[in-house]
Amino acid sequence: MESRIFTLFLGHCLLLFTLLPSHLLAEERKQVIEPEVQRRDIKQPAIDSENFEVGIFAGVMNVTDFGTNPVIGARFGYHVTEDIFIEASYAQTETDETSFERLSGNIQLLEDNDHKLRYYNASFGFNLLPGEGFISDKYAFTSALFLIGGIGGTDFAGDDHTTWNVGVGYRLLLNDSFAIRIDARDHIFDLDLLGEKQTNHDLEFTGGVSMFF
């Protein structure tokens, strides 16, 4: 009888020693997981989604046979994606007399009011090389080299001429809302002044500022 009681006592002791390490390990794991870490409130930067762009520009425009003169204008664009945008532009310049008019004396090809050139167009742009522009070692700005082209009209010499435009530009974003931009365009249209149609390639170089909203 005593032997049986001793055997039972020994079995309970062995079971207790077997379960004790597991219990202690569970308690240790529980202590590792339970402590609460005080977390900081982090405000994620707001990512703006301005897709509309409005801007003004100025520069020079060379009108074939009518000299190079200042040009001013405005543009309105919509950025469809990060790489694709569409844009509408309007600008005007005042042209000079042609060399023929200056050399011929009293012959005048155009009335004074007809020397003013106005153009308007709708264009499609593609950001070819998006990247960053650097000013010194401290400042980096989002930038993009882009191609652009479209169709519109040119009001010049008393008539409205269908005009294609192609060009290249560079845009530098100063922040989420403002950008500076330079453009080089070729405006292509047919002009008939002396009974012979010629294709004009009027080159334009401009710089401007724009705002996103």
Side-chain angles (χ1 to χ4, degrees), residues 49-209:
S49 58
E50 289 87 351
N51 296 321
F52 293 96
E53 179 185 8
V54 60
I56 56 176
F57 60 89
V60 294
M61 185 174 186
N62 176 263
V63 181
T64 305
D65 296 331
F66 287 88
T68 301
N69 292 279
V71 61
I72 57 173
R75 58 172 59 98
F76 179 81
Y78 176 71
H79 292 256
V80 182
T81 68
E82 290 185 357
D83 298 323
I84 298 172
F85 64 95
I86 54 177
E87 178 180 280
S89 300
Y90 175 86
Q92 67 178 33
T93 183
E94 189 80 27
T95 65
D96 296 330
E97 293 181 336
T98 65
S99 57
F100 175 79
E101 289 175 308
R102 290 194 297 269
L103 294 174
S104 61
N106 294 327
I107 297 178
Q108 189 174 6
L109 295 178
L110 300 177
E111 298 293 333
D112 290 340
N113 292 336
D114 293 334
H115 275 277
K116 182 170 289 186
L117 181 149
R118 303 178 181 88
Y119 74 76
Y120 53 90
N121 57 50
S123 304
F124 172 87
F126 178 75
N127 293 323
L128 186 64
L129 294 174
E132 290 185 333
F134 295 89
I135 300 178
S136 76
D137 296 334
K138 297 181 179 179
Y139 303 101
F141 302 95
T142 301
S143 64
L145 178 70
F146 59 87
L147 300 178
I148 192 166
I151 189 171
T154 298
D155 182 9
F156 180 57
D159 202 359
D160 197 24
H161 313 275
T162 301
T163 306
W164 295 90
N165 79 90
V166 293
V168 62
Y170 181 78
R171 182 190 297 106
L172 185 70
L173 278 78
L174 301 179
N175 54 36
D176 291 337
S177 300
F178 293 96
I180 57 177
R181 170 172 162 176
I182 56 175
D183 283 76
R185 301 278 187 101
D186 183 10
H187 300 266
I188 308 165
F189 63 92
D190 292 331
L191 183 65
D192 183 359
L193 287 180
L194 300 175
E196 182 179 352
K197 184 179 290 186
Q198 69 176 20
T199 299
N200 276 20
H201 287 268
D202 296 345
L203 300 179
E204 177 190 46
F205 301 93
T206 61
V209 294

